[in-house]
Each structure stands twice: as C-alpha cells, then as structure tokens.
C-alpha cells in the first residue's frame, strides 16, 4: 500500500515541478530541460519503489500514476479553475508592436523563440504580427496583422 501512496505523491510532485519549469514544449526544450525531466522521473521512481523492487511494486506504482493522471484529467474537465491551475492559461507576450517583457521573463521565453514561430508562420518581419500568444502547451501562436484586419472588415 505504501508504494501506491508514494506513487500518488510522486505524481503530484512531478506535476508541480513541470509547472514550475515552464511552458517550453518538447520541440523547444533544450537538452538540459529534457535531462532535468528524466532525472525528476528517475529520482521519484526510486523514492516510490524504495527497497521494494518487485514486479508487483512496479506495476502498483505504474497503475497508481495512471490512475492519478486519469483523475487529474477528469477534475480538469469538471472544474475550469482546476484546469487553469494544472495547465495554465494562454498568455499574450507580443501585442500591437509591444513586447510584454515581464510575461516573457515569467514564462522564461526568449524573443528568439517567438521569432522562430513568426518565421514558421511565413512572416518575415515583426511588424506583420498583431499578437504572439504562448498557449497552455507552450506552443507559440502568431496572429498576423492581416488576419485581424480582415476579421474586423465588413463582409468578411
């Protein structure tokens, strides 16, 4: 039974640690980000299993972590505020020609990360961007000036 309790606690600790690390999605993670996540998982699994290295303990830990994940997902669906705590909310980091440096620092995002998304959208200059939004999953969404103008024009 202690393995199950330790697994549930480890899940919550890892969830908190990932939220504290920030929103960089896997494709944007630097190698040291990935190493940290693997080390977190390895350290927590050692703590979860402790001296019990049996197959029953390993399966119990995996099932407990899976159950925690399903439970957290269900809570996110039922309680919007809980989803915002666990996953966060989209944050505008560039708006109408102005960088929100305080938000960028909080998210530990660089202007170069946003500019990469601008180029992937097929835009060449920052002046072509109306909004840059860091989504809940860390992806950078770019809303070009032309899309916002077209959306406000009558007949579109």
């Amino acid at each position: 039974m202690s393995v199950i309790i330790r697994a549930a606690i480890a899940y919550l600790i890892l969830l908190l640690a990932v939220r504290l690390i920030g929103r960089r999605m896997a494709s944007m993670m630097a190698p040291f980000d990935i190493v940290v996540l693997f080390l977190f998982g390895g350290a927590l699994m050692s703590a979860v299993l402790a001296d019990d290295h049996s197959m029953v303990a390993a399966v119990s830990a995996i099932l407990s972590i899976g159950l925690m994940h399903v439970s957290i997902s269900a809570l996110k669906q039922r309680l919007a505020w809980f989803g915002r705590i666990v996953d966060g909310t989209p944050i505008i980091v560039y708006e109408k020609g102005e960088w929100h440096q305080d938000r960028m620092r909080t998210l530990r995002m660089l202007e170069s990360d946003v500019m990469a998304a601008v180029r992937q959208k097929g835009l060449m200059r920052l002046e072509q961007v109306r909004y840059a939004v860091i989504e809940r999953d860390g992806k950078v969404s770019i809303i070009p000036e032309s899309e916002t103008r077209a959306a406000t024009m009558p007949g579109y």
Side-chain angles (χ1 to χ4, degrees), residues 5 10 16 19 24 26 39 50 52 74 82 84 91 100 106 116 142:
I5 293 168
L16 176 66
R19 287 289 292 137
R24 293 169 94 60
L39 288 175
D52 188 355
F82 188 75
R84 286 190 299 272
I91 297 175
H100 294 286
T106 301
I142 302 298

Side-chain angles (χ1 to χ4, degrees), residues 2-94:
S2 67
V3 169
I4 293 170
I5 293 168
R6 288 193 308 259
I9 292 169
Y11 179 88
L12 294 173
I13 290 169
L14 191 54
L15 181 63
L16 176 66
V18 169
R19 287 289 292 137
L20 290 174
I21 286 175
R23 295 187 183 206
R24 293 169 94 60
M25 62 183 169
S27 64
M28 293 175 59
M29 284 185 171
F32 70 88
D33 293 325
I34 296 168
V35 168
V36 167
L37 287 178
F38 277 110
L39 288 175
F40 281 168
L44 284 174
M45 282 313 293
S46 296
V48 167
L49 295 176
D51 292 330
D52 188 355
H53 297 286
S54 68
M55 183 61 83
V56 171
V59 170
S60 296
I62 290 168
L63 290 176
S64 298
I65 291 168
L67 182 59
M68 286 296 296
H69 186 68
V70 169
S71 299
I72 296 292
S73 295
L75 282 172
K76 288 185 336 184
Q77 287 179 331
R78 287 182 178 81
L79 305 169
W81 63 268
F82 188 75
R84 286 190 299 272
I85 290 172
V86 173
D87 291 333
T89 58
I91 297 175
I92 297 173
V93 294
Y94 180 83

Side-chain angles (χ1 to χ4, degrees), residues 18-19 21-30 33 83-84 86-93 103-104 106-118 120 132-142:
V18 169
R19 287 289 292 137
I21 286 175
R23 295 187 183 206
R24 293 169 94 60
M25 62 183 169
S27 64
M28 293 175 59
M29 284 185 171
D33 293 325
R84 286 190 299 272
V86 173
D87 291 333
T89 58
I91 297 175
I92 297 173
V93 294
R103 297 174 188 171
M104 297 281 288
T106 301
L107 296 170
R108 290 185 292 285
M109 295 292 290
L110 303 173
E111 289 180 16
S112 59
D113 296 330
V114 175
M115 290 307 299
V118 169
Q120 288 174 352
V133 181
I134 308 302
E135 302 293 349
R136 294 168 33 158
D137 63 357
K139 180 178 168 268
V140 181
S141 293
I142 302 298

